[in-house]
Amino acid sequence: MQYRYTVNRNYEDYASGRVFYARPGVPAFPVRLASEIFQRGLAHWRQAGGAGPCRLYDPTCGGATWLVVLGFLHGDAIASIMASDLDTGSLTLAERNLALLTPDGLNQRIEEIKTMAASFGKESHRGALESAMRLREVLSANRAQHEISTQVFQANALDPEALRQGLGDAPIDLVLADVPYGRHSAWAGQKSGEDRPPAWQLLEALAGQIGPRTILAVAASKDQEMSHPKYRRLERFQVGKRRMVFLRLHDKPGSRGYGESPA
């Protein structure tokens, strides 16, 4: 796959577990790939008529690591970030990470790293502190343009009613989802007796919450078919074991979820 928007540079400051909070044993989403996915999704949204900073939502956010990465890298293009997950432990981690997009949250993290550096004297802590100070400069520059509002809530991404309760009337421009597909994550919250695959259930649940311009950018394994009759596929590419699919609802006046043919 050829990257269209990002270059192969040093993303060390954005590494999971360095400044951003991480869960031991769970691999982070690649920073460069996250940035590429966001920028491709943003381009599709602008082509559909979107303008200004966009509003992001991740229905399977985990620790929200890639969301906070995007908040720093592309803060000028993001107005708000909403994140949800069924797992309470993931939500706690997501709240801590998204708090890093505020001066208070990042300053608290800097003090934590300073304490670790003074107590243990490890080179990794000194490097993390240098990264945190650079991120503080990035945050200051981003906030000079506008602040990014954040919201974290618990919801089963496969349950339309749970999404409705959590999202309310909040508009969504870009849905980013890294769905479960590896040895460290698995789908939860499937309805008893439901014979549709989880990927289909996710797209069905989201269909009632998004508008005609909303772009879905979903990372999944290549054996998960991210398709649904209410959506049309805009593009697809693969990197390693991950397959990225970009979707948008089929167009029909007066309907937010009309389907003509499978994506």
Side-chain angles (χ1 to χ4, degrees):
M1 190 276 293
Q2 183 175 1
Y3 285 82
R4 297 176 187 167
Y5 297 98
T6 62
V7 297
N8 188 14
R9 66 177 180 85
N10 187 349
Y11 292 100
E12 185 179 42
D13 292 345
Y14 303 91
S16 180
R18 188 174 178 87
V19 177
F20 304 149
Y21 297 101
R23 180 179 295 179
V26 178
F29 200 89
V31 174
R32 186 186 181 193
L33 181 56
S35 178
E36 179 73 17
I37 291 171
F38 170 77
Q39 291 183 85
R40 289 194 187 204
L42 189 68
H44 283 299
W45 177 64
R46 298 204 188 285
Q47 187 176 9
C54 69
R55 293 155 296 202
L56 297 184
Y57 172 51
D58 185 348
T60 58
C61 70
T65 305
W66 75 336
L67 294 177
V68 71
V69 164
L70 296 175
F72 278 98
L73 286 177
H74 304 290
D76 60 329
I78 299 173
S80 63
I81 296 175
M82 293 178 290
S84 66
D85 203 285
L86 186 59
D87 179 64
T88 55
S90 295
L91 293 176
T92 298
L93 189 61
E95 288 176 341
R96 298 176 73 192
N97 271 323
L98 290 175
L100 298 176
L101 294 173
T102 68
D104 287 347
L106 186 55
N107 287 335
Q108 178 181 328
R109 180 57 170 158
I110 288 173
E111 292 305 314
E112 291 173 358
I113 297 172
K114 284 182 178 179
T115 299
M116 290 187 292
S119 299
F120 303 106
K122 292 184 177 181
E123 181 61 33
S124 60
H125 293 146
R126 287 191 289 269
L129 183 57
E130 293 173 358
S131 292
M133 301 305 288
R134 286 191 289 268
L135 288 176
R136 186 156 68 176
E137 294 179 3
V138 174
L139 180 62
S140 178
N142 287 345
R143 286 173 63 87
Q145 300 182 62
H146 63 261
E147 297 182 17
I148 298 176
S149 64
T150 63
Q151 176 188 356
V152 177
F153 62 93
Q154 185 177 23
N156 177 4
L158 308 183
D159 184 348
E161 182 57 32
L163 295 189
R164 275 193 291 272
Q165 291 180 4
L167 292 169
D169 296 326
I172 303 168
D173 301 317
L174 183 58
V175 175
L176 299 178
D178 179 27
V179 302
Y181 54 85
R183 55 183 291 198
H184 297 289
S185 60
W187 285 102
Q190 298 184 61
K191 295 180 181 179
S192 177
E194 174 61 67
D195 59 354
R196 301 280 192 174
W200 190 98
Q201 295 178 52
L202 173 65
L203 295 178
E204 175 67 19
L206 287 169
Q209 297 301 312
I210 61 177
R213 292 178 179 170
T214 306
I215 304 299
L216 274 64
V218 184
S221 61
K222 59 184 179 181
D223 59 347
Q224 292 190 76
E225 187 60 38
M226 295 303 303
S227 65
H228 190 289
K230 292 182 180 179
Y231 297 83
R232 58 190 176 97
R233 190 173 70 214
L234 304 175
E235 70 167 304
R236 180 176 65 183
F237 66 89
Q238 187 168 323
V239 177
K241 296 181 179 180
R242 290 184 176 92
R243 176 178 290 168
M244 273 55 65
V245 180
F246 295 79
L247 305 169
R248 182 182 170 194
L249 289 174
H250 281 294
D251 297 322
K252 182 183 179 183
S255 174
R256 300 179 71 188
Y258 176 73
E260 296 173 356
S261 59

Coordinates of all heavy atoms in Angstrom, one line a residue, residues 41-95:
G41 N -10.0 9.5 5.3 CA -11.4 9.7 5.7 C -11.8 11.2 5.6 O -12.9 11.5 5.2
L42 N -10.9 12.1 6.1 CA -11.2 13.5 6.0 C -11.3 14.0 4.6 O -12.2 14.8 4.3 CB -10.0 14.3 6.7 CG -10.3 15.8 6.9 CD1 -11.3 16.0 8.0 CD2 -8.9 16.4 7.4
A43 N -10.5 13.4 3.7 CA -10.6 13.8 2.3 C -12.0 13.4 1.7 O -12.6 14.1 0.9 CB -9.5 13.2 1.5
H44 N -12.4 12.1 2.0 CA -13.7 11.7 1.6 C -14.8 12.6 2.1 O -15.8 12.9 1.4 CB -13.9 10.2 2.0 CG -13.2 9.2 1.2 ND1 -13.4 9.0 -0.2 CD2 -12.2 8.3 1.6 CE1 -12.6 8.1 -0.6 NE2 -11.9 7.6 0.4
W45 N -14.7 12.9 3.4 CA -15.7 13.8 4.0 C -15.8 15.2 3.3 O -16.9 15.7 3.0 CB -15.4 13.9 5.5 CG -16.4 14.8 6.2 CD1 -17.7 14.6 6.4 CD2 -16.1 16.1 6.9 NE1 -18.3 15.7 7.1 CE2 -17.3 16.6 7.4 CE3 -14.9 16.8 7.0 CZ2 -17.3 17.8 8.1 CZ3 -14.9 18.0 7.7 CH2 -16.1 18.5 8.3
R46 N -14.7 15.7 3.0 CA -14.6 17.0 2.4 C -15.2 16.9 0.9 O -15.9 17.8 0.4 CB -13.2 17.6 2.3 CG -12.7 17.9 3.8 CD -11.6 18.9 3.7 NE -10.9 19.1 5.0 CZ -11.4 19.7 6.1 NH1 -12.7 20.1 6.0 NH2 -10.7 19.8 7.2
Q47 N -14.9 15.8 0.3 CA -15.4 15.6 -1.1 C -17.0 15.5 -1.0 O -17.6 15.8 -2.0 CB -14.8 14.3 -1.7 CG -15.2 14.1 -3.1 CD -14.5 12.9 -3.7 OE1 -13.8 12.1 -3.0 NE2 -14.6 12.7 -5.0
A48 N -17.5 15.0 0.1 CA -18.9 14.8 0.3 C -19.6 16.1 0.7 O -20.8 16.2 0.8 CB -19.2 13.8 1.3
G49 N -18.8 17.2 0.9 CA -19.3 18.5 1.2 C -19.0 19.0 2.6 O -19.5 20.0 3.0
G50 N -18.3 18.2 3.4 CA -17.9 18.6 4.7 C -16.9 19.7 4.7 O -16.1 19.8 3.8
A51 N -17.0 20.6 5.7 CA -16.1 21.8 5.8 C -15.8 22.1 7.3 O -16.6 21.7 8.2 CB -16.8 23.0 5.2
G52 N -14.6 22.7 7.5 CA -14.2 23.0 8.8 C -13.7 21.8 9.6 O -13.6 20.7 9.0
P53 N -13.4 22.0 10.9 CA -12.9 20.8 11.7 C -14.0 19.8 11.8 O -15.2 20.1 11.9 CB -12.6 21.5 13.0 CG -12.4 22.9 12.8 CD -13.4 23.2 11.6
C54 N -13.6 18.5 11.8 CA -14.6 17.4 11.8 C -14.8 16.9 13.2 O -14.1 17.2 14.2 CB -14.2 16.3 10.9 SG -12.7 15.4 11.5
R55 N -15.9 16.2 13.4 CA -16.3 15.6 14.7 C -16.1 14.1 14.5 O -16.8 13.4 13.7 CB -17.8 15.9 15.0 CG -17.9 17.4 15.3 CD -19.3 17.9 15.1 NE -19.7 17.9 13.7 CZ -20.7 18.6 13.1 NH1 -21.3 19.5 13.9 NH2 -21.0 18.5 11.8
L56 N -15.2 13.5 15.4 CA -14.9 12.1 15.3 C -15.6 11.3 16.3 O -16.0 11.8 17.4 CB -13.4 11.9 15.6 CG -12.3 12.5 14.7 CD1 -10.9 12.1 15.2 CD2 -12.5 12.1 13.3
Y57 N -15.9 10.0 16.0 CA -16.4 9.1 16.9 C -15.8 7.7 16.7 O -15.7 7.2 15.5 CB -18.0 9.0 16.7 CG -18.6 7.9 17.6 CD1 -18.3 7.7 18.9 CD2 -19.4 6.9 17.0 CE1 -18.9 6.7 19.7 CE2 -20.0 5.9 17.7 CZ -19.8 5.8 19.1 OH -20.3 4.8 19.8
D58 N -15.4 7.1 17.8 CA -14.9 5.7 17.8 C -15.8 4.8 18.7 O -15.8 5.0 19.9 CB -13.5 5.6 18.2 CG -12.8 4.3 18.1 OD1 -13.6 3.3 17.9 OD2 -11.6 4.2 18.2
P59 N -16.6 3.9 18.1 CA -17.5 3.1 18.9 C -16.8 1.9 19.6 O -17.4 1.2 20.4 CB -18.5 2.6 17.9 CG -17.7 2.5 16.6 CD -16.7 3.6 16.7
T60 N -15.6 1.6 19.2 CA -14.8 0.5 19.8 C -13.4 1.0 20.2 O -12.4 0.6 19.8 CB -14.6 -0.7 18.8 OG1 -14.0 -0.2 17.6 CG2 -16.0 -1.3 18.5
C61 N -13.5 2.0 21.1 CA -12.3 2.9 21.3 C -11.1 2.2 22.1 O -10.0 2.7 22.0 CB -12.7 4.2 22.0 SG -13.2 4.0 23.8
G62 N -11.4 1.2 22.9 CA -10.3 0.6 23.7 C -9.8 1.7 24.6 O -10.5 2.5 25.2
G63 N -8.5 1.9 24.6 CA -7.8 2.9 25.4 C -7.7 4.3 24.7 O -7.2 5.2 25.2
A64 N -8.3 4.4 23.5 CA -8.4 5.7 22.7 C -7.0 6.2 22.4 O -6.8 7.4 22.1 CB -9.2 6.7 23.5
T65 N -6.0 5.3 22.3 CA -4.7 5.7 21.9 C -4.6 6.4 20.6 O -4.0 7.5 20.5 CB -3.7 4.5 22.0 OG1 -3.8 3.8 23.2 CG2 -2.3 5.0 21.8
W66 N -5.2 5.8 19.6 CA -5.1 6.4 18.3 C -5.9 7.7 18.2 O -5.6 8.6 17.4 CB -5.4 5.5 17.1 CG -6.8 5.1 16.9 CD1 -7.9 5.1 17.7 CD2 -7.3 4.6 15.6 NE1 -9.0 4.7 17.1 CE2 -8.7 4.3 15.8 CE3 -6.7 4.3 14.4 CZ2 -9.5 3.8 14.8 CZ3 -7.5 3.8 13.3 CH2 -8.9 3.6 13.5
L67 N -6.9 7.9 19.0 CA -7.7 9.1 19.0 C -6.8 10.3 19.6 O -6.9 11.4 19.1 CB -9.0 8.9 19.8 CG -10.0 8.0 19.3 CD1 -11.2 7.9 20.2 CD2 -10.5 8.4 17.9
V68 N -6.1 10.0 20.7 CA -5.3 11.1 21.3 C -4.1 11.4 20.3 O -3.7 12.5 20.2 CB -4.8 10.7 22.7 CG1 -3.8 9.6 22.7 CG2 -4.3 11.9 23.4
V69 N -3.6 10.4 19.6 CA -2.6 10.6 18.6 C -3.1 11.6 17.6 O -2.4 12.6 17.2 CB -2.1 9.3 18.0 CG1 -1.3 9.5 16.7 CG2 -1.3 8.5 19.0
L70 N -4.2 11.3 17.1 CA -4.8 12.2 16.0 C -5.1 13.6 16.6 O -5.0 14.5 15.9 CB -6.1 11.5 15.5 CG -5.9 10.2 14.7 CD1 -7.3 9.6 14.3 CD2 -5.0 10.4 13.5
G71 N -5.5 13.6 17.8 CA -5.8 14.9 18.5 C -4.5 15.8 18.5 O -4.6 17.0 18.3
F72 N -3.4 15.2 18.6 CA -2.1 16.0 18.6 C -1.7 16.2 17.2 O -1.3 17.4 16.8 CB -1.0 15.2 19.4 CG -1.1 15.5 20.8 CD1 -1.7 14.5 21.7 CD2 -0.5 16.6 21.4 CE1 -1.7 14.7 23.1 CE2 -0.5 16.8 22.8 CZ -1.2 15.9 23.6
L73 N -1.7 15.2 16.3 CA -1.2 15.3 15.0 C -2.0 16.2 14.1 O -1.5 16.9 13.2 CB -1.0 14.0 14.3 CG 0.1 13.1 14.8 CD1 0.1 11.7 14.1 CD2 1.5 13.7 14.5
H74 N -3.4 16.1 14.3 CA -4.3 16.8 13.4 C -5.3 17.6 14.2 O -6.5 17.7 13.8 CB -5.0 15.8 12.5 CG -4.1 14.9 11.7 ND1 -3.4 15.4 10.7 CD2 -3.7 13.6 11.9 CE1 -2.6 14.4 10.2 NE2 -2.8 13.3 10.9
G75 N -4.9 18.3 15.3 CA -5.8 19.0 16.1 C -6.5 20.2 15.3 O -7.6 20.5 15.7
D76 N -5.8 20.7 14.3 CA -6.4 21.8 13.5 C -7.6 21.3 12.7 O -8.5 22.1 12.4 CB -5.4 22.4 12.6 CG -4.8 21.4 11.6 OD1 -4.7 20.2 11.9 OD2 -4.5 21.8 10.5
A77 N -7.7 20.0 12.5 CA -8.8 19.5 11.6 C -9.9 18.8 12.4 O -10.8 18.2 11.9 CB -8.2 18.5 10.6
I78 N -9.8 18.8 13.8 CA -10.7 18.1 14.6 C -11.4 19.0 15.6 O -10.7 19.8 16.3 CB -10.0 17.0 15.4 CG1 -9.3 15.9 14.5 CG2 -10.9 16.3 16.4 CD1 -8.5 14.9 15.2
A79 N -12.7 19.0 15.6 CA -13.5 19.8 16.5 C -13.8 19.1 17.8 O -13.8 19.7 18.9 CB -14.8 20.3 15.9
S80 N -14.1 17.8 17.7 CA -14.5 17.1 18.9 C -14.2 15.6 18.7 O -14.1 15.1 17.5 CB -16.0 17.3 19.2 OG -16.8 16.7 18.1
I81 N -14.1 14.9 19.8 CA -13.8 13.5 19.8 C -14.8 12.8 20.8 O -14.8 13.2 21.9 CB -12.4 13.1 20.2 CG1 -11.4 13.7 19.2 CG2 -12.2 11.6 20.3 CD1 -9.9 13.5 19.6
M82 N -15.5 11.8 20.3 CA -16.4 11.0 21.1 C -15.9 9.6 21.0 O -15.5 9.1 20.0 CB -17.8 11.1 20.6 CG -18.5 12.4 20.8 SD -20.2 12.5 20.2 CE -19.9 12.4 18.5
A83 N -15.9 8.9 22.2 CA -15.4 7.5 22.2 C -16.2 6.7 23.1 O -16.7 7.1 24.2 CB -13.9 7.5 22.7
S84 N -16.5 5.4 22.7 CA -17.2 4.5 23.6 C -16.7 3.1 23.5 O -16.0 2.8 22.5 CB -18.7 4.5 23.2 OG -18.9 4.0 21.9
D85 N -17.0 2.3 24.5 CA -16.6 0.9 24.5 C -17.5 0.2 25.5 O -18.1 0.9 26.4 CB -15.1 0.8 24.9 CG -14.5 -0.5 24.4 OD1 -14.8 -1.5 25.1 OD2 -13.7 -0.5 23.5
L86 N -17.5 -1.1 25.4 CA -18.3 -1.8 26.4 C -17.5 -2.1 27.7 O -18.1 -2.3 28.8 CB -18.8 -3.2 25.8 CG -19.8 -4.0 26.5 CD1 -21.0 -3.3 26.9 CD2 -20.1 -5.3 25.8
D87 N -16.2 -2.2 27.5 CA -15.3 -2.6 28.7 C -15.0 -1.4 29.5 O -14.5 -0.4 29.1 CB -14.1 -3.2 28.1 CG -13.1 -3.6 29.2 OD1 -13.4 -4.5 30.0 OD2 -12.0 -3.0 29.3
T88 N -15.3 -1.5 30.8 CA -15.1 -0.4 31.7 C -13.6 0.0 31.9 O -13.2 1.1 32.1 CB -15.7 -0.6 33.1 OG1 -15.3 -1.9 33.6 CG2 -17.3 -0.7 33.0
G89 N -12.8 -1.1 31.9 CA -11.3 -0.8 32.1 C -10.8 0.0 30.9 O -10.0 0.9 31.1
S90 N -11.3 -0.3 29.7 CA -10.8 0.4 28.5 C -11.3 1.9 28.6 O -10.6 2.8 28.2 CB -11.4 -0.2 27.2 OG -10.9 -1.5 27.0
L91 N -12.5 2.1 29.1 CA -13.0 3.4 29.2 C -12.2 4.3 30.2 O -12.0 5.5 30.0 CB -14.5 3.4 29.6 CG -15.5 2.8 28.6 CD1 -16.9 2.8 29.2 CD2 -15.5 3.6 27.3
T92 N -11.8 3.7 31.3 CA -10.9 4.4 32.2 C -9.6 4.8 31.6 O -9.2 6.0 31.7 CB -10.6 3.5 33.5 OG1 -11.8 3.2 34.1 CG2 -9.7 4.2 34.4
L93 N -9.0 4.0 30.8 CA -7.8 4.3 30.1 C -8.1 5.3 29.0 O -7.3 6.3 28.8 CB -7.3 3.0 29.4 CG -5.9 3.1 28.8 CD1 -4.8 3.5 29.8 CD2 -5.5 1.8 28.1
A94 N -9.2 5.2 28.3 CA -9.6 6.2 27.3 C -9.7 7.6 27.9 O -9.3 8.6 27.3 CB -10.9 5.8 26.6
E95 N -10.4 7.7 29.1 CA -10.5 9.0 29.7 C -9.2 9.6 30.1 O -9.0 10.8 29.9 CB -11.4 8.8 31.0 CG -12.9 8.6 30.7 CD -13.7 8.3 31.9 OE1 -13.1 8.0 33.0 OE2 -14.9 8.4 31.8

